[in-house]
Amino acid sequence: QVQLVESGGGLVQAGGSLRLSCAASGRTFSTYAMGWFRQAPGKEREFVAAISKNGVTYYSDSVKGRFTISRDNAENTVYLQMNNLQFEDTAVYYCTPDQSLPRLRLGISAYWGQGTQVTVSS
């Protein structure tokens, strides 16, 4: 069982920045790939970014160059630094772990956090 707690969301003006955090329980955090997804009102949940257990990163085209995913295995935490936020980035952001990176990127992992709301005003 993995428990996840996201934080760091909020209201920001377009062009601003936020850093999301996701703290995970358990002693096997370093063996998991970690990812971020988001879901805007009326839309399906979509992949944002992922980081492998070895630190290799992946991004959706819509956030590449603006968002950075990182992890701190000592703190069991994954981060999402979001810069130059746009109105289209408004969504609830979720983190998810999976020992299979391909499965994680498909959004079918077994564990999900409760989400943190990011609202970007235009």
Side-chain angles (χ1 to χ4, degrees):
Q1 187 78 10
V2 178
Q3 292 184 324
L4 305 153
V5 179
E6 298 106 333
S7 60
L11 173 65
V12 63
Q13 289 187 331
S17 299
L18 284 173
R19 188 174 85 151
L20 306 183
S21 300
C22 173
S25 66
R27 292 180 287 180
T28 59
F29 177 81
S30 62
T31 68
Y32 284 83
M34 297 295 298
W36 288 94
F37 283 71
R38 66 186 181 188
Q39 187 166 21
K43 295 187 177 181
E44 293 186 354
R45 187 165 57 192
E46 65 172 357
F47 170 77
V48 175
I51 185 166
S52 74
K53 62 181 181 180
N54 297 318
V56 181
T57 57
Y58 306 84
Y59 299 95
S60 68
D61 288 342
S62 62
V63 308
K64 197 174 296 182
R66 299 188 298 123
F67 290 12
T68 302
I69 188 171
S70 62
R71 64 189 298 158
D72 184 338
N73 290 340
E75 297 293 329
N76 280 15
T77 301
V78 62
Y79 302 99
L80 186 68
Q81 177 67 44
M82 306 186 294
N83 297 330
N84 191 21
L85 283 160
Q86 303 300 312
F87 178 74
E88 307 79 64
D89 297 317
T90 296
V92 178
Y93 284 71
Y94 300 90
C95 71
T96 183
D98 205 304
Q99 291 187 319
S100 165
L101 181 58
R103 186 167 60 208
L104 184 152
R105 293 186 67 177
L106 289 173
I108 56 175
S109 301
Y111 302 107
W112 294 84
Q114 84 288 352
T116 186
Q117 175 71 47
V118 171
T119 303
V120 185
S121 61
S122 57

